[in-house]
Amino acid sequence: MDWPGWENLAAHLQGLAITLPRKPSGIVVMSGHWETSVPTVTTAAHPPLIYDYYGFPEHTYALKYPAPGSPALAAHVQALLRQNDIACEGDATRGLDHGVFIPFLLAFPDADIPVIELSMSAKLDAAQEMRVGQALEPLRQDNILIIATGMSYHNLRHFMSGSPRTDETSVQFDTWLRNTAEALPAERNQRLLAWEQAPGARICHPREEHLLPLMFAAGAAGHDRGVRTYSDIVMGKALSGFRFG
């Protein structure tokens, strides 16, 4: 796969697995590409792929990522949500979107870890995503890796056009995001829930679907502080990635 301009991110993803204390027994992931009225989990034993992008080179529609699903893990996720009074559903036909299989092709290329995808609320409610993450924190004790994928900057109009108008704004928001993610958990969560007050927040995220998975990850982090593990300037915009625990 060619990643012009994204080499540092590719290298970061390719090195992710070796930073883990052990191989995960399963993965629960929220991406910025699935919104539903209530939290919904994939329940298929063999989830297909959803090529939810347009106008890309032909070979990108032939990519394969045959990771298994796990109906048992999906049921456990639903049970935890319901125990916390969060209504939820399962979807036996939904596959993995490109917000999952593209980074996972690099991070977990053997595709031998069961993957469950979890939707975000169509209401784009930061508090809801954090609450969902908090409900699923116990999964970590069972060696389940919780992953959130999105982008710390997602103004595609400026990003894809190469417009420099928001270059400095992206740095300001990225600095706020790092300081927030690395703060003590109580302060971190409070700041994340008020993310729209951050400098340049709505310029960097005209629509917040690519930021809200971070709220899910922070909720699942419990008392663990965050650390920035990826940082780069891509096409003039500051981008970051974070890890909790």
Side-chain angles (χ1 to χ4, degrees), residues 57-212:
E58 184 176 351
H59 73 273
T60 64
Y61 299 92
L63 295 172
K64 304 298 181 185
Y65 192 73
S70 173
L73 177 56
H76 187 30
V77 167
Q78 292 178 80
L80 287 172
L81 292 174
R82 289 171 180 146
Q83 287 169 19
N84 286 271
D85 298 321
I86 301 173
C88 59
E89 295 179 357
D91 190 326
T93 61
R94 165 80 187 191
L96 306 177
D97 58 61
H98 82 274
V100 176
F101 72 79
I102 293 295
F104 281 24
L105 278 166
L106 295 172
F108 308 103
D110 293 337
D112 59 352
I113 302 173
V115 178
I116 300 300
E117 186 169 357
L118 173 66
S119 70
M120 73 171 68
S121 169
K123 295 180 180 179
L124 301 180
D125 185 337
Q128 168 77 355
E129 304 315 333
M130 188 169 291
R131 185 176 169 220
V132 168
Q134 290 167 342
L136 299 187
E137 182 188 358
L139 292 174
R140 298 172 61 195
Q141 301 173 14
D142 298 328
N143 195 35
I144 303 301
L145 181 63
I146 296 176
I147 294 181
T149 72
M151 284 185 70
S152 57
Y153 176 95
H154 201 251
N155 184 328
L156 290 185
R157 181 178 179 182
H158 288 177
F159 195 86
M160 301 305 292
S161 69
S163 169
R165 290 173 53 195
T166 56
D167 288 3
E168 180 56 34
T169 304
S170 77
V171 173
Q172 294 170 357
F173 182 75
D174 193 72
T175 300
W176 176 89
L177 199 60
R178 179 184 184 179
N179 291 338
T180 296
E182 296 184 347
L184 290 170
E187 179 186 356
R188 171 192 72 211
N189 293 350
Q190 183 179 28
R191 286 167 61 99
L192 284 175
L193 293 180
W195 72 271
E196 290 180 272
Q197 300 175 23
R202 276 297 178 189
I203 296 175
C204 296
H205 291 277
R207 192 173 188 273
E208 58 264 45
E209 82 283 356
H210 273 68
L211 181 66
L212 292 191

Side-chain angles (χ1 to χ4, degrees), residues 3 6-18 106-107 229-230:
W3 291 75
W6 298 88
E7 294 86 355
N8 290 339
L9 177 57
H12 167 68
L13 291 171
Q14 288 168 335
L16 177 62
I18 62 173
L106 295 172
T229 55
Y230 163 75

